[in-house]
Amino acid sequence: MSSHWDEYWQQGHLTSFGDSFKGNYSGVLSTLWNTEFAKLKPNFKVLDVATGNGALPLLINQFFSDQQIGGHVDGVDLAQIATDLSTQQLNDEVTVSLISNINGNELPFEKGQYDLVMSQFGIEYSDLSRSIPEALRVLKTGGRFCVVTHHSRSMIINRNRDILALINDSAVDNVFSIITALVKRMGNMSNGDDLKRVKIDPEAERLRGELNTEINTLAKLNEAALKDCELLNYVATLFQQGLFWSVDKKLTYIEFASGQIASLKERLGELVNAALSEQKVADILASLSGAALECIDTICDDEGKILAWKITLIKHSESSC
């Protein structure tokens, strides 16, 4: 896996939606999983594939906090998991293990161990022709495979597809080139006199005009996506909080911001490519072996906007997995 997911989870995000969602998944998604968790029996064993920072293991631990039902949850991810379980207020009846650097295509578990294998906005990043059979292999006969995946027409994908299109526009590269040139032209600044000097510098004024032109171009393309991608925040930080930083510190910050946008490009590119269309779902179901389809649903929010697919399988054969 590319390092951008490691970096993303190390920032402390609990969900794959970044700053769009605070805390754990809630609302319709939480309700969906609580319904699934309620089917578990005492001493259950659950596996969460592509766990990220452990959102679902923490959710299941919370669900059983007021019940006398115990069990164990393993959360695995190919990326480095950042969650420190010692800092979480956990229900002692449901133990949680989070294991980094585990490939969902090659799970390091014996067959027939788990009552439930689950995943939310994660397993679709894998090679599903390998990861689904692996999930079925480690399930007990009669066990449930339940996943919530990105839908190619969901509000999440549509929003992030717009962001991806915007940050792939050449105007974004132009913004970084211009602010680099402008910082060098401004030189080191420490007081109001330096600010006056820069304001009457024709070359600095020309660069500021070019910067405004490029930002206006991006705003005309998609103002909402421009706000979502954080580019405006990076520029504002540089010329507001960072106005009197040294040139070297400003250039270091520009490099950081450019790297964040590049990482966002990679992450959103993978997100959009991983989203499942109706045809992809049909192909997956047609290739199933050793399991029966219980349900496939389109999950919508309270306003009827598509959020995700929910796919549930029941393992019925040990020998074919």
Side-chain angles (χ1 to χ4, degrees):
M1 171 173 284
S2 301
S3 62
H4 52 271
W5 280 110
D6 285 341
E7 295 169 0
Y8 177 81
W9 296 120
Q10 292 302 314
Q11 291 172 15
H13 298 297
L14 192 57
T15 73
S16 59
F17 301 142
D19 293 330
S20 298
F21 285 73
K22 300 297 183 183
N24 210 336
Y25 293 105
S26 59
V28 64
L29 295 176
S30 177
T31 300
L32 176 156
W33 285 113
N34 287 344
T35 300
E36 192 65 35
F37 300 156
K39 299 171 185 175
L40 293 168
K41 299 186 180 343
N43 300 314
F44 62 79
K45 194 170 183 183
V46 173
L47 174 65
D48 180 27
V49 178
T51 193
N53 267 342
L56 289 187
L58 295 177
L59 198 64
I60 194 172
N61 180 276
Q62 176 187 351
F63 176 79
F64 286 106
S65 61
D66 58 352
Q67 304 180 46
Q68 298 301 313
I69 296 178
H72 178 77
V73 188
D74 287 318
V76 300
D77 203 284
L78 189 55
Q80 185 66 36
I81 299 170
T83 298
D84 181 356
L85 292 175
S86 68
T87 66
Q88 303 292 318
Q89 293 182 334
L90 297 178
N91 163 26
D92 292 338
E93 295 297 317
V94 178
T95 55
V96 177
S97 295
L98 300 179
I99 313 169
S100 303
N101 310 126
I102 300 298
N103 191 331
N105 298 335
E106 300 174 356
L107 296 171
F109 305 114
E110 297 297 325
K111 67 179 183 179
Q113 284 198 39
Y114 294 98
D115 300 287
L116 169 67
V117 174
M118 60 184 180
S119 182
Q120 179 161 273
F121 302 131
I123 198 170
E124 62 268 41
Y125 289 91
S126 68
D127 178 354
L128 293 174
S129 68
R130 298 174 62 191
S131 58
I132 292 179
E134 268 293 270
L136 295 176
R137 180 183 67 80
V138 301
L139 265 178
K140 298 175 182 178
T141 299
R144 301 170 65 79
F145 171 80
C146 183
V147 297
V148 172
T149 74
H150 285 295
H151 191 299
S152 62
R153 294 188 289 108
S154 75
M155 57 183 292
I156 299 165
I157 295 301
N158 289 338
R159 177 177 177 177
N160 285 289
R161 189 182 285 118
D162 286 346
I163 298 171
L164 182 61
L166 183 97
I167 60 180
N168 274 319
D169 193 272
S170 60
V172 172
D173 293 331
N174 293 343
V175 166
F176 284 111
S177 296
I178 292 166
I179 61 176
T180 298
L182 181 55
V183 162
K184 291 178 179 178
R185 181 67 184 183
M186 291 166 62
N188 287 312
M189 300 175 58
S190 60
N191 53 46
D193 289 339
D194 289 326
L195 188 57
K196 291 176 183 178
R197 167 180 57 80
V198 169
K199 286 183 175 179
I200 62 173
D201 181 352
E203 178 61 12
E205 184 62 26
R206 183 188 69 79
L207 290 168
R208 282 196 296 272
E210 287 187 2
L211 177 60
N212 288 333
T213 297
E214 297 297 339
I215 290 175
N216 287 335
T217 296
L218 292 169
K220 289 177 182 178
L221 286 174
N222 193 318
E223 187 171 2
L226 177 58
K227 292 177 180 177
D228 284 341
C229 78
E230 296 294 318
L231 179 64
L232 293 180
N233 287 338
Y234 294 135
V235 175
T237 296
L238 183 66
F239 292 113
Q240 292 176 12
Q241 295 98 308
L243 183 60
F244 294 117
W245 290 348
S246 69
V247 170
D248 286 343
K249 185 173 181 179
K250 287 176 180 173
L251 293 177
T252 297
Y253 182 78
I254 293 171
E255 184 177 357
F256 160 79
S258 177
Q260 291 297 108
I261 294 295
S263 179
L264 183 63
K265 281 184 186 180
E266 290 188 80
R267 202 168 68 245
L268 295 189
E270 291 179 4
L271 168 64
V272 170
N273 289 332
L276 302 183
S277 65
E278 285 84 352
Q279 185 59 55
K280 281 186 179 180
V281 171
D283 291 343
I284 292 166
L285 298 180
S287 65
L288 282 179
S289 174
L293 175 66
E294 180 182 85
C295 71
I296 177 167
D297 296 315
T298 300
I299 308 302
C300 298
D301 68 5
D302 294 336
E303 298 177 353
K305 296 178 180 178
I306 295 174
L307 286 177
W309 293 105
K310 181 193 175 201
I311 303 171
T312 305
L313 309 175
I314 307 297
K315 180 176 176 180
H316 60 63
S317 171
E318 190 69 61
S319 61
S320 60
C321 295

